[in-house]
Amino acid sequence: MATAADADRLAIRDLIEHWAVWRDAGDWDRFRTVWHDDGRMMATWFQGSADEFIRVSREGMERGVSILHFLGGSAIDVAGDRAIGQTKMTISQRAEVDGVLCDVVCTGRFYDFLERRAGAWGLVLRQPIYEKDRLDPLDPAARLELDRSLLEQFPAGYRHLAYAQSRIGFDVKRDMPGLLGPEVEALYARGARWLEGGPSD
């Protein structure tokens, strides 16, 4: 028999899937509905409010920035009106890197702080975890030589994604959580505090 927690997890999973579909489709009005009013987004290239994230994402899409998201399995912990969701994901971005058109793919997890308010679940904070990535020219015969000194300035989990984003003008955050290390351990601790009624940061 399905429990209330099962229903909550299903509602949260729907929200997470809506995030990916509506964001990548540029369905900005519906995309806004997955966030609470004070929702915040953390990413390699952006850190700020949900409203600001929607604005810059829309502007980027209109300029031809191509970033897509694919989802895998999820694990959702519910504690009353709060939840932590972890969802396997892949970020795919197409960009010109040092004069060569490339696809960069980064695999990791969305780590989401969620809350039920007025009967509806919404995102309070999305913090991706970046686990590994790669960069490939669209033309397999193309010659691409990366600037190793720049590449090695970024964490291993999103090194190539950060390289590509920095080359097209983004200011990339350099201490995002990866598969292992103090950044992800601190994130897990924040998640545990959130489920116990503490703040999301």
Side-chain angles (χ1 to χ4, degrees), residues 2-33:
T3 66
D6 292 332
D8 288 335
R9 281 189 283 269
L10 181 59
I12 290 167
R13 177 66 192 197
D14 280 350
L15 180 154
I16 290 166
E17 292 182 355
H18 291 162
W19 190 102
V21 172
W22 292 339
R23 188 264 170 224
D24 289 356
D27 193 344
W28 306 116
D29 289 340
R30 287 206 286 178
F31 182 59
R32 183 64 184 84
T33 67

Side-chain angles (χ1 to χ4, degrees), residues 4-118:
D6 292 332
D8 288 335
R9 281 189 283 269
L10 181 59
I12 290 167
R13 177 66 192 197
D14 280 350
L15 180 154
I16 290 166
E17 292 182 355
H18 291 162
W19 190 102
V21 172
W22 292 339
R23 188 264 170 224
D24 289 356
D27 193 344
W28 306 116
D29 289 340
R30 287 206 286 178
F31 182 59
R32 183 64 184 84
T33 67
V34 306
W35 302 91
H36 283 309
D37 288 345
D38 57 348
R40 291 177 295 131
M41 177 70 195
M42 300 292 288
T44 54
W45 60 277
F46 174 88
Q47 304 87 47
S49 72
D51 287 328
E52 184 70 4
F53 178 65
I54 292 167
R55 183 186 67 79
V56 297
S57 295
R58 183 201 298 259
E59 291 174 354
M61 187 175 286
E62 291 171 352
R63 292 197 313 272
V65 175
S66 174
I67 303 174
L68 300 175
H69 303 83
F70 300 87
L71 302 181
S74 64
I76 299 167
D77 296 308
V78 179
D81 289 333
R82 289 190 169 193
I84 290 289
Q86 296 189 61
T87 306
K88 292 295 296 180
M89 60 80 177
T90 297
I91 301 167
S92 175
Q93 182 164 359
R94 179 164 291 180
E96 188 170 286
V97 179
D98 299 339
V100 178
L101 191 60
C102 296
D103 277 339
V104 58
V105 176
C106 183
T107 298
R109 281 169 284 155
F110 285 134
Y111 192 97
D112 294 325
F113 295 69
L114 302 115
E115 191 166 28
R116 176 168 38 208
R117 300 177 186 171

